[in-house]
Amino acid sequence: VSLISANNFTAKDFAMSHPSGSLGRRLLTLVSSIMNSGDGIPIVSKETLLIDSLLVMSEKALGMVLVAENEKLIGIFTDGDLRRALESNIDFQELAIGDVMTKDCKSIEPQEPALAAIQLMERYSLNSLPVVDSSNKIVGAINMHTLIQAKLF
């Protein structure tokens, strides 16, 4: 312990020494290496009918659909939002996803460590998280299952 303190040995130094261990994986794995990208991202426009958005959500199996305008994130609709919508008896055939989406949702950038995604999801009790670049363009999506598959839990 004295040597660790004297040498300013950090958790990141430990991770570099033991990259395949759970701490190493958590500190060294980037969001970009585990996120769903390309055709694996559930994206719709705000004008898409809610019923059609649910089909995309189901097809991509991430528990969410991201709402975009000009490829930029403007909202999210999750399994939790779906449960609340069912309780309020809304018309799934008439409403657009833009009418029921959660605006100003949390997101993360791809170069962030996966540990930051875990902490953000735990802090705000999120199961799904959009991945955006510095201009808010959607580049990926992750959920708790993604993190479990990457053995980060």
Side-chain angles (χ1 to χ4, degrees), residues 96-151:
I97 193 74
D99 298 326
V100 292
M101 70 183 183
T102 300
K103 298 175 184 171
D104 302 320
C105 58
K106 303 292 182 214
S107 63
I108 194 160
E109 292 190 7
Q111 72 274 10
E112 292 289 326
L115 181 58
I118 292 168
Q119 292 168 337
L120 183 65
M121 292 168 81
E122 286 178 343
R123 184 178 318 121
Y124 294 101
S125 300
L126 305 172
N127 290 321
S128 307
L129 196 59
V131 182
V132 298
D133 66 14
S134 59
S135 66
N136 204 41
K137 179 182 174 190
I138 299 169
V139 296
I142 60 173
N143 66 6
M144 284 301 218
H145 189 67
T146 309
L147 298 169
I148 292 168
Q149 281 182 323
K151 298 181 180 176

Side-chain angles (χ1 to χ4, degrees), residues 38-147:
D39 290 338
I41 308 171
I43 301 178
V44 297
S45 70
K46 67 180 179 179
E47 295 84 18
T48 305
L49 289 177
L50 180 54
I51 192 75
D52 295 330
S53 298
L54 295 178
L55 294 173
V56 172
M57 182 190 295
S58 180
E59 177 188 328
K60 304 299 180 175
L62 290 177
M64 69 175 140
V65 65
L66 305 179
V67 185
E69 189 170 63
N70 298 320
E71 299 182 349
K72 301 201 185 257
L73 180 68
I74 61 168
I76 191 170
F77 188 82
T78 66
D79 286 340
D81 295 323
L82 175 59
R83 285 189 294 281
R84 286 183 286 280
L86 288 169
E87 289 172 357
S88 64
N89 295 320
I90 64 170
D91 187 348
F92 286 77
Q93 301 288 339
E94 297 292 325
L95 279 177
I97 193 74
D99 298 326
V100 292
M101 70 183 183
T102 300
K103 298 175 184 171
D104 302 320
C105 58
K106 303 292 182 214
S107 63
I108 194 160
E109 292 190 7
Q111 72 274 10
E112 292 289 326
L115 181 58
I118 292 168
Q119 292 168 337
L120 183 65
M121 292 168 81
E122 286 178 343
R123 184 178 318 121
Y124 294 101
S125 300
L126 305 172
N127 290 321
S128 307
L129 196 59
V131 182
V132 298
D133 66 14
S134 59
S135 66
N136 204 41
K137 179 182 174 190
I138 299 169
V139 296
I142 60 173
N143 66 6
M144 284 301 218
H145 189 67
T146 309
L147 298 169

